[in-house]
Amino acid sequence: MPQGKQFIKDISSRQRCPQASGLESIAPLVSTAEETPHPITTTIKGTIPTWINGSFLRNGPGKFEFGEDRYTHWFDGMAMMHRFHICEGNVTYSSRFLRSDSYVLNSERNRIVVSEFGTLAMPDPCKNIFARFFSRFTIPKATDNAGVNFVKYKGDYYVSTETNYMRRVDPQSLETKEKVDWSQYVAVNAATAHPHYDRDGATYNMGNSYGTSGFFYNIIRVPPPEENAAKEDSADLNGAQVICSIQASESRKPSYFHSFVMSENYIVFVEQPIKLDLLKFMLYRIAGKSFHKVMTWDPTYETIFHLVNRHTGKKSEVKYCAAPMFTLHQINAFEDSGFLVMDMCCGDDGEVIADYTLENLRRDTGEEMDKFYNSMCRNLPRRYVLPLSVDEETPLDQNLVTLPNYKATAKKTNPGEVYMTHEELHDDELLQYGGLEFPQINYDQYNGRPYRYFYACGFGHVFSDSLLKMDVHTKELKVWRYPGFFPSEPVFVASPRATEEDDGVVLSVIITPREEKSTFLLILDAKTFTELGRAEVPVNIPYGTHGVFNGMG
């Protein structure tokens, strides 16, 4: 689509949510924490169901300075892994910093020597002036500070970020194992921290590649572990392959992506108007600018949905488009009578990522914090419905979404082009909670299938300040919210004798800036969304990103 095209759009998601006033400071939630390498007991209040048997693993930034050097952006903090081990109604807690090359080198030198997303490592002050000058002309190596998520390949756990490096870890001891470079297995320069898993045990992910023929978004498949194969204590991504390469619509300005859509038979890559300026990227080292400065939100581009058959790797020749929007996280996707239904958290302003500087997050209570929060994008759940059968016979300018109970539309506007509008997957009640993010579902049973419930964090503050359960059939909400408490992404754990989608519990780590060492693991009944119990632990945990439940069978 040519630049300069203007979209007539409704009131933005930010304008629809109420303005905040008198927000408290969250500076303690982005302060360096101490690790707890040996498990400590917690104090149980209420009841922890005895059937929960496993570890709730969390990841996120935990150290924000080395010596006199300070990180600029929240994403830059050194990865800290947390483990709440739940067994027979008791809970222990442990944590460790990831011993990445970045962490080890920075620790040895007692300064920041490895560049991160928003912080550029300065040249070594011990070098002479010429060596310092020329060091600016070398593109810094990608970081292995894998602080975004825990992911699984062939039965092994890794921590991941959005570069080409992951780190294998021991999910029991949180010990750091070897560094794994995606580019040694498949031709990609980076991969997401949000893979999908199919029911055969294969893992799917997406990564970038660029070269003389352009910039590509690649769908990667890692096969399941081989049955009866002797298990070695080493990383194994053998058999990984790129099943489809999607050429960027504009090679010099590819789109940023954080996740992708997967149903039982399809993968959809959402090419959104958050653009990476590759020319700036090449020059940013010389100019002394950090990576987050090369990302720009450009709503003169529309959003393109690239549809790929997951089994054959064949990309649809139909171009599916929608108005410019920004998405980080998918909720779920499923096929229904010749249509692909895609639910995701979306906003109308993609400037948000660059805003999460530590300076902004450490603003004072009141006017300064209110101003920052009120300027930010609000993400809301949306549903897009993509017609799978579009050909020359398909009529122009008619709504192709013929399913009952769906308000989303899809119209063929030109040969080989379909323009989609979304359905709001919520009622106005959600707006008072500031929209939502970090969505989770009953993944094992319902990912890629028709579903009814998802769990998420409400964002009435810069960091999440409520837990939400959404019924996508009725758009009714259930809410857990208390002043001063900031919950982590809610993770659903199914009851062993579950007969319904929401039979189980929701786990979330609750932190507060109001009191030192007042963290607790919250266990909610997923059906009623009421508290069953909590495990209090006398440690400070910084605000984190993502987590998983590692069940022990």
Side-chain angles (χ1 to χ4, degrees):
M1 185 199 78
Q3 272 194 279
K5 178 172 175 182
Q6 293 300 313
F7 292 92
I8 299 164
K9 65 177 189 177
D10 300 325
I11 298 171
S12 75
S13 50
R14 176 175 63 219
Q15 291 166 320
R16 293 173 61 200
C17 293
Q19 296 277 291
S21 176
L23 293 179
E24 66 187 293
S25 171
I26 51 170
L29 308 186
V30 284
S31 300
T32 293
E34 293 177 9
E35 60 183 1
T36 308
H38 304 293
I40 58 173
T41 57
T42 63
T43 303
I44 306 296
K45 300 280 175 72
T47 307
I48 311 291
T50 52
W51 57 260
I52 307 174
N53 183 18
S55 298
F56 185 32
L57 303 172
R58 295 265 313 145
N59 200 350
K63 182 173 174 63
F64 300 96
E65 65 283 309
F66 284 94
E68 297 299 308
D69 291 359
R70 303 281 183 269
Y71 285 115
T72 302
H73 198 281
W74 177 52
F75 293 174
D76 301 340
M78 292 290 98
M80 191 177 200
M81 303 174 287
H82 308 268
R83 177 180 183 250
F84 287 87
H85 183 62
I86 310 166
C87 184
E88 295 180 351
N90 293 306
V91 181
T92 59
Y93 169 78
S94 55
S95 65
R96 284 191 181 204
F97 285 111
L98 179 71
R99 264 44 178 197
S100 60
D101 289 354
S102 301
Y103 179 91
V104 171
L105 282 166
N106 292 336
S107 298
E108 285 173 355
R109 309 265 177 93
N110 198 33
R111 65 186 190 86
I112 295 169
V113 294
V114 180
S115 293
E116 297 292 340
F117 173 75
T119 305
L120 199 70
M122 286 294 104
D124 187 339
C126 298
K127 286 182 177 176
N128 68 42
I129 189 166
F130 294 107
R132 289 214 302 275
F133 175 74
F134 285 112
S135 71
R136 278 197 180 271
F137 291 85
T138 58
I139 294 291
K141 287 194 177 82
T143 182
D144 65 337
N145 176 35
V148 178
N149 207 355
F150 278 87
V151 297
K152 215 171 177 181
Y153 295 97
K154 294 192 176 185
D156 282 335
Y157 274 100
Y158 298 79
V159 283
S160 178
T161 179
E162 297 190 325
T163 68
N164 55 311
Y165 294 121
M166 298 188 295
R167 277 283 182 166
R168 196 165 69 94
V169 293
D170 183 320
Q172 262 70 51
S173 67
L174 302 181
E175 180 191 351
T176 303
K177 305 262 189 178
E178 70 269 44
K179 181 162 84 168
V180 178
D181 182 353
W182 271 108
S183 64
Q184 300 300 306
Y185 293 90
V186 284
V188 297
N189 305 103
T192 82
H194 287 289
H196 275 293
Y197 309 98
D198 72 14
R199 287 175 176 83
D200 298 323
T203 307
Y204 293 79
N205 205 341
M206 289 203 63
N208 299 330
S209 65
Y210 46 90
T212 51
S213 53
F215 191 102
F216 293 87
Y217 314 109
N218 303 298
I219 300 172
I220 307 159
R221 180 183 184 270
V222 179
E226 291 176 32
E227 282 186 42
N228 307 320
K231 185 75 185 106
E232 293 183 16
D233 187 23
S234 62
D236 178 16
L237 295 183
N238 290 315
Q241 62 182 123
V242 171
I243 61 169
C244 181
S245 287
I246 300 162
Q247 186 149 19
S249 301
E250 190 174 344
S251 267
R252 284 190 180 176
K253 287 192 174 178
S255 292
Y256 169 75
F257 60 98
H258 187 73
S259 64
F260 60 98
V261 177
M262 189 169 97
S263 70
E264 290 203 306
N265 295 298
Y266 296 95
I267 284 173
V268 176
F269 170 65
V270 182
E271 193 173 15
Q272 58 186 354
I274 299 183
K275 296 294 181 179
L276 305 176
D277 189 322
L278 291 189
L279 190 61
K280 271 192 195 169
F281 180 66
M282 298 306 174
L283 297 172
Y284 88 131
R285 175 70 171 179
I286 302 165
K289 286 186 177 175
S290 55
F291 180 65
H292 75 292
K293 297 275 173 61
V294 306
M295 291 168 61
T296 53
W297 166 248
D298 189 346
T300 60
Y301 291 90
E302 59 197 342
T303 305
I304 303 171
F305 297 79
H306 298 276
L307 175 70
V308 177
N309 183 303
R310 180 160 75 84
H311 309 294
T312 66
K314 188 174 186 314
K315 180 181 174 294
S316 169
E317 291 178 9
V318 179
K319 181 182 177 184
Y320 297 93
C321 303
M325 64 85 166
F326 152 71
T327 181
L328 285 175
H329 299 113
Q330 316 305 313
I331 303 169
N332 200 5
F334 58 90
E335 294 147 48
D336 184 356
S337 311
F339 295 88
L340 178 59
V341 180
M342 302 177 293
D343 298 344
M344 56 191 82
C345 297
C346 303
D348 300 310
D349 178 0
E351 302 281 4
V352 63
I353 294 173
D355 290 340
Y356 273 78
T357 62
L358 291 165
E359 183 183 14
N360 279 335
L361 295 173
R362 289 169 177 159
R363 289 187 182 201
D364 291 338
T365 295
E367 193 178 341
E368 282 302 300
M369 183 55 83
D370 296 346
K371 194 171 157 187
F372 173 46
Y373 172 78
N374 291 329
S375 73
M376 292 177 69
C377 178
R378 305 279 185 277
N379 283 6
L380 299 168
R382 290 179 181 173
R383 170 167 284 177
Y384 291 88
V385 179
L386 185 152
L388 294 168
S389 302
V390 177
D391 55 28
E392 303 86 44
E393 305 297 312
T394 306
L396 287 169
D397 297 322
Q398 283 184 25
N399 182 16
L400 304 176
V401 182
T402 52
L403 296 171
N405 305 320
Y406 289 98
K407 295 191 180 77
T409 71
K411 291 180 181 178
K412 183 176 162 187
T413 50
N414 287 300
E417 282 195 23
V418 171
Y419 189 83
M420 303 188 297
T421 67
H422 64 269
E423 173 184 346
E424 301 285 4
L425 207 57
H426 63 89
D427 283 337
D428 284 351
E429 184 191 0
L430 174 62
L431 303 178
Q432 68 181 301
Y433 298 104
L436 58 80
E437 255 297 343
F438 293 148
Q440 289 279 331
I441 59 169
N442 179 344
Y443 190 95
D444 291 347
Q445 296 301 317
Y446 289 88
N447 189 58
R449 295 174 173 170
Y451 75 113
R452 182 162 184 174
Y453 304 108
F454 73 88
Y455 311 92
C457 287
F459 275 79
H461 202 305
V462 173
F463 283 157
S464 50
D465 66 343
S466 63
L467 292 168
L468 308 172
K469 177 187 180 181
M470 175 70 80
D471 181 332
V472 298
H473 290 182
T474 65
K475 300 181 181 175
E476 286 179 283
L477 272 182
K478 287 188 165 72
V479 182
W480 185 94
R481 187 188 203 184
Y482 292 93
F485 285 145
F486 292 81
S488 73
E489 170 189 65
V491 170
F492 176 85
V493 182
S495 157
R497 285 182 281 280
T499 56
E500 295 183 302
E501 182 183 341
D502 57 352
D503 279 350
V505 296
V506 168
L507 307 178
S508 177
V509 178
I510 313 297
I511 57 178
T512 179
R514 296 185 180 185
E515 201 175 335
E516 279 279 295
K517 300 185 175 179
S518 299
T519 300
F520 60 93
L521 172 66
L522 175 70
I523 294 94
L524 297 176
D525 180 315
K527 199 174 273 296
T528 62
F529 225 55
T530 54
E531 181 173 340
L532 295 171
R534 60 178 68 179
E536 297 174 345
V537 58
V539 296
N540 290 328
I541 296 182
Y543 189 80
T545 46
H546 297 288
V548 296
F549 183 74
N550 178 29
M552 303 310 245

